[in-house]
Amino acid sequence: MGEEEGGNRIKGKRDPWKSLERFLVNVTDRINAVIAPDPSADPVAANKLRIASNTLEKLHWDTAERKIRWHLHWLGVDPAQQRKGIGRHLVQWGLDRAIEDKVWAGIESSAVGEKLYSSMGFKVIGERLPCIEGINMGTVMAWEPKRS
Ligand SMILES: CC(C)(COP(=O)(O)OP(=O)(O)OC[C@H]1O[C@@H](n2cnc3c(N)ncnc32)[C@H](O)[C@@H]1OP(=O)(O)O)[C@@H](O)C(=O)NCCC(=O)NCCS
């Protein structure tokens, strides 16, 4: 899960330690990708995914109020531990950050995840773009903060 601004990071409430943490995680990820690339990754599919992700960013998130948001990435629970409330707990952690910052939350959902996210107030705002032939990529979902 992470804070996003146009695919990068949130602005506004700046906590210098959070910014430093994000910076170090980013640098570590980039170094790891160069010195130890994931041998299981398909570079063609990874590139399609990157292009799809940029396209969705422009299509659904590139507005003044949605650009700054908590975007929840890659949620997965060990099949042996599913249906015990872990997924809901993890999503709630991200939603609590969005509530605290009074910003939107976003997620790219699989078919199975959609039921969970809908029950937590996310709404479908579009379809994900196909990256792998024959695979239903699911939907794009957004959670809107309550304005007081
Ligand atoms: C989606 C996922 C993360 C949910 O995690 P989880 O820990 O099992 O979720 P929870 O136990 O908190 O379930 C919360 C609710 O989500 C829904 N749900 C979860 N798994 C479901 C399933 N297999 N079929 C139908 N509904 C499901 C149910 O409404 C469930 O509430 P209930 O158990 O009271 O009926 C998990 O199924 C998973 O890792 N799936 C594979 C990866 C994936 O699709 N990730 C989502 C990509 S964004």
Side-chain angles (χ1 to χ4, degrees), residues 69-120:
R69 67 187 183 280
W70 276 86
H71 204 92
L72 316 183
H73 290 290
W74 311 119
L75 181 67
V77 171
D78 180 345
Q81 304 301 329
Q82 289 177 6
R83 302 305 288 265
K84 295 180 180 175
I86 298 171
R88 186 179 295 281
H89 190 76
L90 290 169
V91 176
Q92 190 59 54
W93 183 92
L95 272 185
D96 287 346
R97 307 281 82 73
I99 292 166
E100 197 181 318
D101 289 340
K102 298 185 176 60
V103 295
W104 286 63
I107 199 159
E108 273 87 58
S109 172
S110 65
V112 65
E114 198 176 305
K115 198 171 168 205
L116 168 62
Y117 310 135
S118 297
S119 76
M120 300 184 77

Side-chain angles (χ1 to χ4, degrees), residues 24-41:
L24 292 175
V25 167
N26 216 335
V27 169
T28 311
D29 280 355
R30 280 165 196 254
I31 292 172
N32 281 343
V34 173
I35 60 175
D38 179 356
S40 67

Side-chain angles (χ1 to χ4, degrees), residues 1-4 8-10 22 69-73 93 106:
M1 299 189 190
E3 300 159 301
E4 302 253 337
N8 290 315
R9 62 194 61 154
I10 197 166
R22 274 195 300 265
R69 67 187 183 280
W70 276 86
H71 204 92
L72 316 183
H73 290 290
W93 183 92

